[in-house]
Structures are given as C-alpha cells and as structure tokens.
Amino acid sequence: MNLIDTSVRDRAVQATVELCKIPSPTGFTRQAERYVFDALVALGYKPEYTVKRSVRVCLGGQGRPLVLAAHVDTLGAMVRSIKPSGSLRVAKLGGFPENYIEGENCTIHTRAGKTFSGRFLLDKPAVHVNKNVGTTARDDTNIEVVIDEPVSKADEVKALGIGAGDFVSFDPRTTLTDSGYIKSRHLDDKASAGILLALAGWLKDTKRELQRSVWLLFTNYEEVGHGGSAGLPDGVEEILSVDMGAIGEDLGTDDRSVSICAKDSSGPYDLELTDSLVAIAKEAGLRYALDVYPFYGSDADTSLRAGYDIRHGLIGPGVQASHGYERTHRDAIQATLELLARYIVKA
Ligand SMILES: [Zn+2]
C-alpha cells in the first residue's frame, strides 16, 4: 500500500509551480526563502533562518538526526556592464550554455528594488541581416540582454537605475499539462522543495511517527557550490540531498521516475544509505533507477567538504533537459515522496 496518495502529490505539484514562479537566482533568494518559511509556519511548524538564510525546521522524532535538503536558489545572471548600445553584458550565476537562455524573456532586478523586462538575444540576431546567425559560437560577449525600454545608449540605461550588480532572473514559463507533465525552468530544485513541503504537510495530517529526528533544510547557494556547507543541526548523522535526477542516454532515470544517485562528480554516495534507499524503492515497487551522474554536485557533497562527519545520499525526481527548459512528471514527484516517506516513518 502506498503511503502517499495523489492529494499529497498534487500539493507538491502546486508548491512546485508557485515556487518556480518566484524569481530566485543564487544570491537573490529572499522571496523564495520567505515562501518556504511561511508555508512551514502555516502547517504548524517552527522554522528558523540560519545565519546565511537557509530555512531549517525540525519535523519531530528523536535521535540520529537526518537532514533532507533541497535548494531554492536557481540559475540566473548578474549585470556585468552596460554596452555602448544600451544592451547589457551579464555574468552567469550557475552553469549553463548560452544557447539555453537565448531568446528567453527575463527580468532585471535593480538594487534599488525596481524591475525591468528584457530578453536574451544574440547581438546581431536578425537572419535577414546576419547570415551567420546559425553558425556563430555563443558566449558572454555576444549573448546580451536587450531591455524593453526605449534606450540606445549606456547613459540612458544608467538613468533608469540599471547597473553592474543587478540580478537577472529568467522567465520560468511554468506549464502543467493534462497528461501530468510540469514544464518549467528551475524544476532543479524547486520540484524537490515542493516535495519537502508536501512531505511536511503529510506528516502533520497523518501524525505518523518518525524513526529518528528529521530536519528539512532549504538551502540558498547550491548552484554556486556552498548551499549545504553550513547550518546543519547539532549531531547530524545523515544528509539526503533531494535534488533533480539527471537523465541521459546511458542513464536509467526518466522524468517519471525517482532517481537514486550512486555517484556524481564528487565520487560515490554512502554505501549503506544508498543501498537502503534502493531496497525501499524495490520493495515499494517504485519506478526508480540507480544512476551515475557524470557532471553533478549536490548539497550533500558540500556538507562533507565543509567538514561534517556524516553519511550522504542523493535522490530526486527525474528532470529532463536539466539547467534548460526542464520537464518532469507528477509520477516522479509521487515516487520521490513515497521513497522519502518510507525512509523516515516507522513501519
Ligand atoms: Zn539542483
């Protein structure tokens, strides 16, 4: 019998959609942190902000603290300079190729709190004028932000209050299909943040007893490599990163599965923890895969590097076209919830 029914899954999907729509490039995550904090308070929990503004909450239970970690920061950009033409040169926040943002709408968030819309374009984007549009190698010098304001000189852009250090968020284009797919930017890792919120709600509703002390940690600097480096509770024994499952031609995960990671760029995940997750997935009849992610790092890796003496693991819903316009399915969200629930509650 499944522990998680479709209503819990649908709450996770709902939270995922709402989170995806909140701009939160790494370093500019206050609104997403508040969303998570307020959602936990509404469920009757007592979350707290760590010094670096991760959101941490104890779900209950006694002994052997386990942390389930998801990150609310996403890819994005920062204004580096204003070009003489009035377009913006940006520095990337997180890793992605330029063609993953070309043509995308975006929002510029000035440090004074104003917002302006724009879009990412090649500097000579018209095929009727530039015959090399298809063959030009994209980089940060020729992919630029064209601001949706009548500006054609750097001074006019400065007069709007836009300048170096402003954050740029990408239009997530979040869409739900009748067939259960969620298409959006930033499902990495907002799908998992939504999953953890739904898990917290399910625990409140069912009053299930926990096997151990279980904490949620919503980190805010994962995409730049130090999300899980601080803020774990005292005595922590395990961290399970709940982050997107990678999909590729020689990997078993798809966007309807929960993915269990055996190894990423930092090496193998903890043997016993990973094996017990696989055993649970098997016994529950979940759609899952145990996979090796060739280019990947997680908050669990970061915690180990920071010096925590812990066991570490990684699971998450399969996400197609990661760091681009991504896709997952409600089945992957349900399978991830089911695996988490079975791992933390008493039988
Ligand atoms: Zn991620």
Side-chain angles (χ1 to χ4, degrees):
M1 244 251 315
N2 287 343
L3 298 179
I4 299 297
D5 64 28
T6 53
S7 70
V8 183
R9 174 202 69 190
D10 292 346
R11 276 158 70 177
V13 171
Q14 173 76 19
T16 300
V17 167
E18 288 173 11
L19 272 164
C20 282
K21 292 179 178 172
I22 297 173
S24 60
T26 290
F28 191 74
T29 48
R30 294 294 177 263
Q31 204 187 335
E33 290 151 15
R34 260 195 309 275
Y35 175 93
V36 167
F37 190 98
D38 291 348
L40 289 164
V41 170
L43 290 170
Y45 291 101
K46 291 193 171 64
E48 57 188 335
Y49 288 112
T50 69
V51 175
K52 70 185 264 194
R53 293 274 297 194
S54 293
V55 177
R56 183 173 67 187
V57 66
C58 182
L59 299 182
Q62 292 293 322
R64 300 184 298 122
L66 159 70
V67 172
L68 307 176
H71 63 93
V72 296
D73 62 309
T74 70
L75 304 174
M78 183 178 270
V79 175
R80 167 173 163 170
S81 54
I82 306 169
K83 294 184 178 183
S85 65
S87 296
L88 303 175
R89 183 172 180 185
V90 300
K92 290 190 250 187
L93 299 174
F96 53 91
E98 275 76 11
N99 60 302
Y100 266 23
I101 54 167
E102 186 177 357
E104 189 60 276
N105 288 318
C106 64
T107 303
I108 303 139
H109 307 263
T110 74
R111 300 192 80 99
K114 284 201 232 166
T115 57
F116 294 92
S117 73
R119 82 194 142 125
F120 285 95
L121 283 181
L122 186 66
D123 56 358
K124 299 179 193 75
V127 288
H128 297 91
V129 180
N130 176 10
K131 66 175 166 36
N132 298 322
V133 166
T135 52
T136 302
R138 270 65 171 164
D139 61 30
D140 73 336
T141 63
N142 59 23
I143 291 291
E144 59 185 23
V145 175
V146 178
I147 308 164
D148 297 326
E149 296 291 332
V151 288
S152 54
K153 293 190 192 75
D155 281 350
E156 293 168 346
V157 175
K158 273 187 210 148
L160 294 173
I162 294 173
D166 290 348
F167 285 91
V168 181
S169 63
F170 309 151
D171 183 349
R173 284 186 284 129
T174 309
T175 308
L176 275 177
T177 72
D178 291 342
S179 51
Y181 287 100
I182 312 166
K183 297 189 288 183
S184 183
R185 288 186 182 275
H186 313 320
L187 290 170
D188 169 15
D189 188 26
K190 288 180 166 173
S192 303
I195 284 168
L196 293 188
L197 288 177
L199 184 74
W202 173 77
L203 277 172
K204 275 284 177 202
D205 289 348
T206 59
K207 300 184 175 60
R208 292 291 297 240
E209 226 183 314
L210 293 165
Q211 294 187 27
R212 59 197 300 183
S213 169
V214 178
W215 296 70
L216 303 184
L217 183 69
F218 296 89
T219 69
N220 52 3
Y221 285 99
E222 193 275 346
E223 293 293 356
V224 289
H226 63 85
S229 64
L232 278 64
D234 290 345
V236 58
E237 284 196 3
E238 271 182 15
I239 183 167
L240 182 55
S241 264
V242 188
D243 206 333
M244 50 142 281
I247 296 174
E249 57 181 349
D250 64 339
L251 274 59
T253 299
D254 62 26
D255 55 8
R256 292 181 50 226
S257 308
V258 55
S259 187
I260 303 170
C261 185
K263 175 197 174 302
D264 67 12
S265 304
S266 297
Y269 281 85
D270 180 78
L271 182 66
E272 280 79 24
L273 173 52
T274 305
D275 283 351
S276 59
L277 291 166
V278 169
I280 293 168
K282 228 180 240 172
E283 194 193 306
L286 300 181
R287 188 181 172 99
Y288 82 97
L290 177 66
D291 264 327
V292 171
Y293 305 165
F295 314 111
Y296 196 107
S298 75
D299 275 337
D301 298 325
T302 309
S303 302
L304 281 175
R305 285 224 171 72
Y308 287 102
D309 180 17
I310 49 176
R311 288 182 293 276
H312 70 315
L314 168 62
I315 67 167
V319 168
Q320 196 188 57
S322 49
H323 282 195
Y325 184 51
E326 300 166 340
R327 191 182 82 166
T328 191
H329 191 273
R330 62 189 176 208
D331 289 352
I333 286 177
Q334 186 157 3
T336 307
L337 272 164
E338 186 71 29
L339 181 53
L340 286 168
R342 285 171 183 255
Y343 188 61
I344 63 174
V345 300
K346 286 187 178 162

